[in-house]
Amino acid sequence: MSRTPPPVPAEHLPALLAALPKAELHIHIEGSLEPEMSFALARRNGITLPYADVESLRRAYAFGSLQAFLDLYYQGAGVLLKEEDFYDLARAYLARAATENVVRAEIFFDPQTHTARGVALDTVMRGLTRACDDARRDLGISSALILCFLRHLSEREAFETLEAALPWRDAFIGVGLDSSELGHPPEKFARVFARCRELGLHIVAHAGEEGPPAYIWGALDVLRAERIDHGVQAVHDAALMQRLAQERIPLTVCPLSNQKLQVFPDLARHSLPRLLAGGLCATVNSDDPAYFGGYVNANFQAVFAATGLDSAAAYQLAANSFEASFADAALKQQWLDKLQAAFERAHDAGS
Ligand code: HPA
Ligand code: ZN
């Protein structure tokens, strides 16, 4: 049941955004690898990084495009070798997310980035699933894994990855499509995703980040994506906007990622207010927080400050994140109740 949230004055908005219970639905676990952890894992695994220290690695995080980011991101993942490394990575993300009032995280992982380096899929899965289980028990945070295929690789390699992951079928809830978008349209993976649908997996796909609205149409019509990751280019296609709104297809928007990769000339021109005004089920997420300058709350704070979104938008975005999640209905209702309570507290504090 949706209730009208009590208004919260603008000066209380930053505190409200931090306190909002929320679901994070677009987070690449490899993108939560902080420079400090890169150095710690490199030391533990006897690897020498091509950077003198944490500061020089962080300074290298200046990207003009998705591809420039991806080159560093794949290189960065080279320190992840053992089950414990994947555990520590996911555990650190979940601990951080819990402090930001994330009650549910649906976490992407890129098996091909690891198997290509000789790391067994079992190693990846054991570390990630154990971190999710422990965080549920110790921190009360609900989480699930989504296996992503790298779209710059071939259909055959995606099929091989799917096949290798079948023994772990119950450890992930869905599949996604990420990596270099331009030149790799959704159609390239039509048959892989058809097989994933037969397996009962949820389907999501990155589309309309740097790529055109046609890639969003392709993700919907060919892959049958239930959610679109990014999707911010939809504003250039009125018919698409209408369809996304009518079918309540969620978009997992990542403002600081878009800013860092120069998807928009500046954050004030971000399409999020237009997506919300068009009635779309947009959500706010961090994408690759270690690389893009902030976790989910920093994304909320930055995009609200830059675009002037108000407390009604905050409520809508948090409610959208629960609607868009693949969690069961009872959990979603509990989170909506929490959201209402957070608003009432913020309203009372401001009145
Ligand atoms: N887009 C595509 N691939 C990715 C991203 C992204 O934002 N982050 C990690 N892999
Ligand atoms: Zn992404």
Side-chain angles (χ1 to χ4, degrees), residues 13-131:
L13 202 48
L16 173 72
L17 295 173
L20 283 181
K22 52 188 78 78
E24 178 154 49
L25 307 174
H26 186 157
I27 160 77
H28 301 263
I29 202 60
E30 295 87 352
S32 71
L33 179 59
E34 292 287 348
E36 289 79 4
M37 189 180 280
S38 292
F39 273 88
L41 296 185
R43 207 173 310 119
R44 191 157 93 184
N45 289 327
I47 294 169
T48 306
L49 293 175
Y51 300 93
D53 51 31
V54 163
E55 285 66 41
S56 37
L57 177 51
R58 212 178 278 285
R59 268 197 304 276
Y61 291 177
F63 328 103
S65 68
L66 176 57
Q67 194 55 53
F69 153 69
L70 289 169
D71 293 344
L72 253 176
Y73 164 86
Y74 294 130
Q75 184 192 79
V79 298
L80 298 163
L81 293 180
K82 313 250 171 63
E83 175 183 333
E84 217 54 29
D85 305 337
F86 290 93
Y87 178 88
D88 289 350
L89 178 68
R91 184 65 203 220
Y93 162 71
L94 287 161
R96 174 64 186 257
T99 68
E100 299 204 355
N101 295 304
V102 172
V103 294
R104 165 81 171 181
E106 296 182 8
I107 301 173
F108 295 143
F109 67 106
D110 288 339
Q112 290 160 301
T113 299
H114 311 302
T115 52
R117 299 180 289 113
V119 176
L121 186 64
D122 278 3
T123 302
V124 179
M125 297 307 299
R126 280 208 200 92
L128 296 181
T129 53
R130 192 157 55 82

Side-chain angles (χ1 to χ4, degrees), residues 324-349:
S325 105
F326 295 130
D328 67 41
L331 273 175
K332 291 185 183 193
Q333 189 55 55
Q334 279 177 27
W335 298 330
L336 279 174
D337 292 343
K338 269 188 160 200
L339 175 59
Q340 187 74 17
F343 257 83
E344 278 159 15
R345 275 195 303 276
H347 174 76
D348 293 347

Side-chain angles (χ1 to χ4, degrees), residues 26 28 30-31 66 69-70 73-74 108 110 150-151 177-181 206 209 229-230 254 257-258 261 287-288 292:
H26 186 157
H28 301 263
E30 295 87 352
L66 176 57
F69 153 69
L70 289 169
Y73 164 86
Y74 294 130
F108 295 143
D110 288 339
L150 299 182
R151 67 200 305 158
L177 188 62
D178 64 2
S179 191
S180 323
E181 187 179 8
H206 282 56
E209 177 185 16
D229 296 313
H230 294 295
C254 307
S257 165
N258 297 154
L261 301 185
D287 206 4
D288 300 282
F292 297 147

